[in-house]
Amino acid sequence: MHKSLDSIQLIDIPKISDPDGRGNLSVIEKKILPYEIKRVYYLYDVPSDSSRGGHAHIELQQFLIALSGSFDVVLDNGLERKVYTLNRPNKGLLIPNGIWRELDNFSAGAVCLSLVSDVYKESDYLRDYNDFKSYTKTTD
Ligand code: T46
């Protein structure tokens, strides 16, 4: 099935600004995400001309945050594409399963935090775009 791109959500992460000017604190609690976080990883020192991702997940759900700097997330459901620029540590992008993603245009110092719904399983990856297209058709 082609997942609707409307199922992707840009979510505000609560920000607590310090009244004495000591900066901000953001917190991610259970209620923000529709799944229990099983794994955390982060991308950093990505050259500006490199891209990450280039795959879809069969089951995994994911929440991406630009902790520092900025990058683009190109999302594709097999029919259409949408691009999000992440550049704030208090905004996160919730990506459901069944969506192809590519991350590119990393700024200097960008850090991409990823909070995901499962442990690492290579069998959950569709790393070939044609396989992904076939997968979206077979599950129609
Ligand atoms: C995603 C994007 C945003 C592990 O051993 N454990 C892990 O938890 C992960 C995520 C990766 N790896 C190994 C697998 C590869 O040998 O690290 C190597 C690089 O992984 P990959 O090519 O999948 O990296 P990205 O940046 O293209 O993709 C990663 C995530 O895999 C993926 O879920 O959405 O970041």
Side-chain angles (χ1 to χ4, degrees), residues 33-108:
L33 299 178
Y35 56 85
E36 185 187 341
I37 298 165
K38 294 265 182 66
R39 181 166 50 108
V40 174
Y41 61 85
Y42 40 97
L43 303 170
Y44 55 100
D45 292 346
V46 181
S48 58
D49 58 355
S50 289
S51 67
R52 305 291 309 217
H55 53 250
H57 285 283
I58 297 169
E59 296 291 346
L60 188 98
Q61 301 177 72
Q62 182 171 36
F63 191 57
L64 296 179
I65 306 158
L67 280 190
S68 174
S70 65
F71 50 87
D72 293 338
V73 186
V74 183
L75 298 171
D76 179 332
N77 66 356
L79 291 175
E80 47 183 348
R81 292 191 154 211
K82 198 165 176 181
V83 182
Y84 289 86
T85 299
L86 296 186
N87 56 14
R88 294 293 307 153
N90 65 324
K91 292 258 183 212
L93 189 63
L94 180 63
I95 307 173
N97 63 323
I99 300 276
W100 185 269
R101 84 287 317 276
E102 285 166 20
L103 281 65
D104 60 18
N105 203 19
F106 282 81
S107 72

